[in-house]
Each structure stands twice: as C-alpha cells, then as structure tokens.
Amino acid sequence: MSDISAPPSLYQPIELIYRALEDDRHWKEFLECVRERLQSSAVTLAMLYPRHHAYSFSHYVGVSKEDFQEYLDKWAVRDPLRKKIMSGSYPLGVILPTQEVIQDNELMADECWREFLGPIGLHYGFVALLARDDFQIASI
C-alpha cells in the first residue's frame, strides 16, 4: 500500500483556523488564504445576533473598512441574501453558491444590491452557515 499524502498547501487553511482560534489576529490571514484559493474579491467571517440585528464578531478581507462599516450601519438589515440565510431554512454546514440561495433577478431588483453590493463588485459568491442556534449565527 502506498502512502499518498495531500500537498502541504492543502493543510494551510486548517492550520490558520487553529492559529486564529488561539489568537484573533490570524482570522484575516485565514480569510486571505480562502480568498486567494477561491479567487474571490472579498471574504467575510461573521457572528450575527439576529434578534438584535447586530454583528458581534466580524472579520473581512477585500472590502474597505468604510464599505464594511456602511454595510453594517445601513445595508445589513436590508440585504436579501442575509435575510434568506437568517430565515432558518438555510442548511447548516453546506457551502452553496449565492445563486442557489437567491435568484439573480431577485438580488438585482433589490435596493441593497443596486445601490451598494453591485457598485462595489459583490455579486456572485458562496455562503456557508457554520453554526446556528436561537441566539447567534456564524457564517463565512
């Protein structure tokens, strides 16, 4: 039987998660790794308290601090993708392309996409719901 090993680069995201759990400063490094591997323009890791419409823990790469703050202040409660994820019907632990969560015509008809997400180049992507209970939702 031959010993087939995965390339060391395959383990990098996993190692970065462990580092980030020990030291919060490594979350951006993990997200940059995910962004690079997916050739994505932006990646966000968020803890959301739906009852309060508040994010308690968020890290992001690929968008400016100002754009991220504007999203939190103005657009998060209006974001149609976020509403779908918070509906409770979104599957836990499944990575889905955003097009499977919300149809293009529904997204593009929404004010949040027309005035904010679209102009900063955030359209297609993926969503993974990491954890959900009555009080919080964790997603990437």
Side-chain angles (χ1 to χ4, degrees):
M1 186 162 91
S2 66
D3 181 28
I4 300 174
S5 301
S9 62
L10 181 63
Y11 297 110
Q12 185 181 14
I14 297 167
E15 290 173 12
L16 291 172
I17 288 173
Y18 282 111
R19 282 191 214 156
L21 290 171
E22 293 174 2
D23 183 344
D24 194 46
R25 295 175 293 176
H26 291 286
W27 282 116
K28 288 200 186 264
E29 187 180 358
F30 164 72
L31 294 176
E32 282 289 359
C33 180
V34 170
R35 181 170 84 155
E36 178 183 307
R37 287 167 184 266
L38 296 176
Q39 298 178 351
S40 177
S41 60
V43 179
T44 303
L45 174 68
M47 290 292 290
L48 170 68
Y49 289 90
R51 292 182 183 178
H52 305 289
H53 299 287
Y55 286 89
S56 64
F57 169 80
S58 295
H59 292 285
Y60 57 92
V61 294
V63 293
S64 71
K65 185 176 182 175
E66 295 78 20
D67 283 342
F68 190 73
Q69 192 60 52
E70 180 180 345
Y71 177 79
L72 293 177
D73 293 343
K74 182 176 181 181
W75 299 108
V77 296
R78 301 177 190 181
D79 184 346
L81 180 61
R82 181 176 166 264
K83 288 177 188 176
K84 295 262 185 187
I85 294 166
M86 288 178 46
S87 71
S89 61
Y90 191 87
L92 186 64
V94 176
I95 300 171
L96 289 176
T98 54
Q99 305 92 290
E100 289 188 30
V101 179
I102 187 168
Q103 298 296 311
D104 273 353
N105 59 347
E106 184 181 353
L107 177 66
M108 291 186 284
D110 191 87
E111 174 188 34
C112 178
W113 187 84
R114 285 192 324 269
E115 293 189 23
F116 181 73
L117 297 173
I120 65 171
L122 299 178
H123 186 107
Y124 295 113
F126 77 92
V127 177
L129 190 61
L130 306 173
R132 175 183 51 222
D133 63 26
D134 291 339
F135 302 102
Q136 61 188 354
I137 296 172
S139 65
I140 186 168

